[in-house]
Amino acid sequence: MASKLEALKTSLEATLGGELKLAVLDRGELTIVLRAANAVQSCTTLRDQFGFEECIDLCGVDYSAYKDGQYDGLRFAVVCHLLSVKNNIRLRVRFFAEEDDFPVVPSLVNVWPGVNWFEREAFDLYGIVFEGHPDLRRILTDYGFVGHPFRKDFPLSGHVEMRYDPVQGRVIYQPVTIEPREITPRILREENYGG
C-alpha cells in the first residue's frame, strides 16, 4: 500500500505543480495541501484524472489554538476526505482560507454535489463562507444564533439564550444569564474504603 501511495504522491506533484503546496505521506495516509484560490480546478483534476469520485467528508478546522497557540499559519482550513473506489485509495485534501477575519473559500458543490450539507455545516459551526454555494445558510444552529460555536474563541456559555415567555406567549432571545462558576470536584473519603 505504501508504494501505491508513494506513486500517487509523485503523480500528484507532477500533475498539480504549483497548486500543490505540500504533500505528506505519514502513517499510511497521504495528505495534500492545495492553494484555495484554485481548489475547484485542482479538485476537478483529482476527480477526473485520478478517479476520486467521492468526497466522503468535508469539515472546517480552526488552528488558532493548535500546538498550544504556537502555530503561526493561517487560522481556518477546509479538509476533504476523498475516496477512489476504482483504485481503492483514499486521499486527504486541505486548503486554507486566506483571511482569518472573514474566511472565504470556493465551494466544491459543482465538483462533488454531496458536499452541500458538509459546507453548510462548516459555515454554521466555523463561519467559513463557501463562495458559489447554491444555498449557504445555517444547518445545525437556530437562525437567530449569534456566532459560530466551533471556533476556539467562542465562549463556552454562548452569547444568547432562548426561552419561552408565558407573558408574551412566544419564544424570546436574551443575553445569557448563566453565572460563570468554577467547578471543584468534591472528594469523598470513607474510613474503611478498600480495606
Side-chain angles (χ1 to χ4, degrees):
M1 182 67 159
S3 62
K4 193 174 185 180
L5 288 174
E6 289 169 0
L8 176 62
K9 180 179 181 240
T10 304
S11 185
L12 287 171
E13 289 169 341
T15 304
L16 296 175
E19 297 303 317
L20 184 65
K21 295 173 87 173
L22 181 67
V24 177
L25 183 58
D26 187 31
R27 296 182 184 103
E29 296 179 349
L30 180 58
T31 302
I32 63 172
V33 179
L34 299 174
R35 288 183 350 102
N38 293 333
V40 173
Q41 180 183 357
S42 299
C43 287
T44 302
T45 301
L46 291 172
R47 181 193 66 195
D48 296 343
Q49 292 183 23
F50 291 92
F52 289 101
E53 63 270 3
E54 291 185 42
C55 180
I56 56 176
D57 189 27
L58 180 145
C59 64
V61 180
D62 181 355
Y63 283 99
S64 63
Y66 186 62
K67 294 189 176 180
D68 295 326
Q70 301 302 312
Y71 175 71
D72 194 26
L74 295 169
R75 179 176 177 181
F76 294 103
V78 173
V79 179
C80 305
H81 292 102
L82 308 182
L83 172 66
S84 173
V85 176
K86 176 175 67 175
N87 299 319
N88 191 26
I89 198 164
R90 294 175 186 259
L91 176 67
R92 181 181 300 116
V93 177
R94 181 182 305 133
F95 51 95
F96 287 86
E98 295 297 324
E99 291 186 34
D100 292 345
D101 295 333
F102 188 68
V104 179
V105 297
S107 173
L108 298 177
V109 168
N110 291 330
V111 182
W112 297 288
V115 301
N116 186 325
W117 283 23
F118 294 141
E119 289 182 353
R120 285 181 59 192
E121 181 183 50
F123 164 70
D124 191 3
L125 300 178
Y126 290 97
I128 300 170
V129 175
F130 290 87
E131 192 172 44
H133 191 282
D135 187 22
L136 194 61
R137 58 189 163 104
R138 292 191 180 272
I139 192 168
L140 295 173
T141 60
D142 189 54
Y143 294 115
F145 192 84
V146 176
H148 305 284
F150 278 14
R151 287 188 175 192
K152 301 293 184 186
D153 55 1
F154 190 80
L156 293 178
S157 63
H159 298 291
V160 295
E161 66 185 15
M162 66 180 216
R163 66 176 179 82
Y164 180 77
D165 186 352
V167 175
Q168 296 182 26
R170 64 182 181 92
V171 173
I172 62 168
Y173 297 90
Q174 64 187 35
V176 174
T177 57
I178 299 172
E179 292 293 324
R181 65 177 194 243
E182 183 177 326
I183 300 174
T184 307
R186 186 172 52 148
I187 300 172
L188 299 176
R189 300 191 193 272
E190 297 178 14
E191 292 280 330
N192 298 325
Y193 180 75

